[in-house]
Amino acid sequence: MIRNCWQGCVRCIHTQLDKSEDGRLIYTGNLSRAVFGVKCFSYSTSVLSLAFLPYLFAQSNIIFGSLPLQILFYGVLGSFTVITPTLLHFLTKGYVVRLYHEPTTDTYKAITYSVLLSEMSTVFHQNDVKIPNSAHLFTTFYAKTKSLLVNPVLFTNPDDYNHLMGYDKPFTFDTEEASTKKQLDDD
């Protein structure tokens, strides 16, 4: 019974794929279910650990004789209970589950998972996209100030990725040095 309820919850969340007001679906992340499942597993094990903590606390006088050992044990258990889901969220918060493009306004809508495993959307314009100067492990680009991670291979049309990243714009060699030189020449 619990298994059917859990599968229904996952199915409900993952079937909200294409909405007309979001624009055209141009990207679907292939690790979406894995990220969702790992986060669910981590949260559930943390909740179970916290649920068993009072039982362990009652039995700790038998296992541990001294108060410092009890504090160390509960400190380690509590830190793993909190750190693991926090670390998982930090690593996966920018993973794009779906990406929509509205061509008339040239805006994008990136769907990611929030801390509470609900879908969260970030709407940004193509001009808001900034590519990091150096390679970041969990960042493909920044949309405004939010780091997002996509896999370029999974775009249904490679031109959509090129447009998102600004690779379809004309390339110029106007660097900071060249613009300073131009200003000096004009003076």
Side-chain angles (χ1 to χ4, degrees):
M1 175 155 170
I2 293 174
R3 182 174 180 223
N4 291 338
C5 179
W6 190 255
Q7 286 176 343
C9 177
V10 171
R11 192 177 312 115
C12 175
I13 288 174
H14 287 288
T15 54
Q16 302 171 352
L17 286 179
D18 201 7
K19 299 176 186 171
S20 60
E21 70 266 7
D22 292 336
R24 183 174 57 93
L25 180 65
I26 61 170
Y27 174 83
T28 304
N30 63 346
L31 295 177
S32 302
R33 288 184 185 234
V35 167
F36 185 83
V38 167
K39 279 184 152 185
C40 282
F41 179 74
S42 175
Y43 289 160
S44 62
T45 56
S46 293
V47 167
L48 283 173
S49 295
L50 291 174
F52 280 115
L53 213 62
Y55 174 75
L56 289 174
F57 188 69
Q59 299 296 321
S60 67
N61 288 335
I62 299 169
I63 299 171
F64 301 113
S66 67
L67 183 64
L69 280 176
Q70 287 180 358
I71 292 172
L72 178 67
F73 175 73
Y74 290 115
V76 169
L77 184 65
S79 65
F80 278 117
T81 302
V82 173
I83 288 175
T84 304
T86 306
L87 181 64
L88 274 173
H89 175 68
F90 177 74
L91 294 176
T92 62
K93 70 181 176 182
Y95 182 75
V96 176
V97 177
R98 292 184 309 278
L99 185 65
Y100 297 93
H101 180 239
E102 181 58 49
T104 56
T105 58
D106 203 16
T107 55
Y108 292 88
K109 185 174 187 178
I111 308 296
T112 57
Y113 288 129
S114 70
V115 176
L116 301 175
L117 294 175
S118 63
E119 290 185 349
M120 193 171 68
S121 65
T122 304
V123 179
F124 58 95
H125 192 272
Q126 196 279 328
N127 293 333
D128 296 331
V129 173
K130 304 285 183 244
I131 302 169
N133 292 334
S134 61
H136 294 280
L137 188 59
F138 296 106
T139 303
T140 307
F141 63 93
Y142 292 100
K144 297 180 182 175
T145 57
K146 185 171 183 173
S147 65
L148 297 173
L149 176 68
V150 295
N151 184 351
V153 178
L154 298 178
F155 278 82
T156 52
N157 183 357
D159 292 335
D160 289 330
Y161 176 74
N162 290 336
H163 181 69
L164 169 70
M165 301 300 279
Y167 296 152
D168 58 348
K169 294 179 181 176
F171 182 75
T172 61
F173 287 104
D174 189 23
T175 62
E176 187 176 321
E177 294 174 9
S179 63
T180 348
K181 183 178 177 185
K182 184 178 177 184
Q183 286 177 348
L184 292 174
D185 290 340
D186 290 340
D187 293 335

